[in-house]
Amino acid sequence: MPRDQTVCKYCGISYLIFHEFKVMEDKVKAMEKEIKVYKGSLEREQRLQAELQALYHDLERCRAESESKTER
């Protein structure tokens, strides 16, 4: 194939390289979206862990109060 059919006449970039660059850009965008999903999952898990810890402390406090009431 002649060079003028494989290279952009305006910028001089090979169409093959340009196509590969666009494919890589699309992959990067998809990975960025995936990272946002994972980041949201991580934040949600951390909130749930904190809530679970607080509930566990409440349970322990209630058990201690229950034991002290039964001793009376």
Side-chain angles (χ1 to χ4, degrees):
M1 232 179 195
R3 180 167 166 78
D4 64 337
Q5 291 181 356
T6 61
V7 175
C8 175
K9 290 178 177 94
Y10 179 72
C11 65
I13 295 177
S14 164
Y15 292 131
L16 178 61
I17 292 172
F18 181 74
H19 174 71
E20 291 296 319
F21 184 76
K22 288 298 179 184
V23 168
M24 288 173 53
E25 277 183 340
D26 293 341
K27 286 181 181 180
V28 167
K29 287 178 184 177
M31 292 175 89
E32 286 173 344
K33 287 180 184 178
E34 199 172 323
I35 287 172
K36 285 182 184 178
V37 168
Y38 288 134
K39 201 176 218 181
S41 295
L42 180 62
E43 291 169 356
R44 192 168 42 256
E45 182 180 348
Q46 289 173 342
R47 278 195 316 270
L48 290 172
Q49 285 286 346
E51 186 178 341
L52 178 63
Q53 194 71 18
L55 290 171
Y56 180 75
H57 288 302
D58 287 346
L59 175 64
E60 290 298 317
R61 183 182 48 80
C62 289
R63 281 184 181 162
E65 288 176 5
S66 176
E67 286 178 13
S68 70
K69 287 181 181 178
T70 56
E71 289 176 359
R72 290 182 195 169

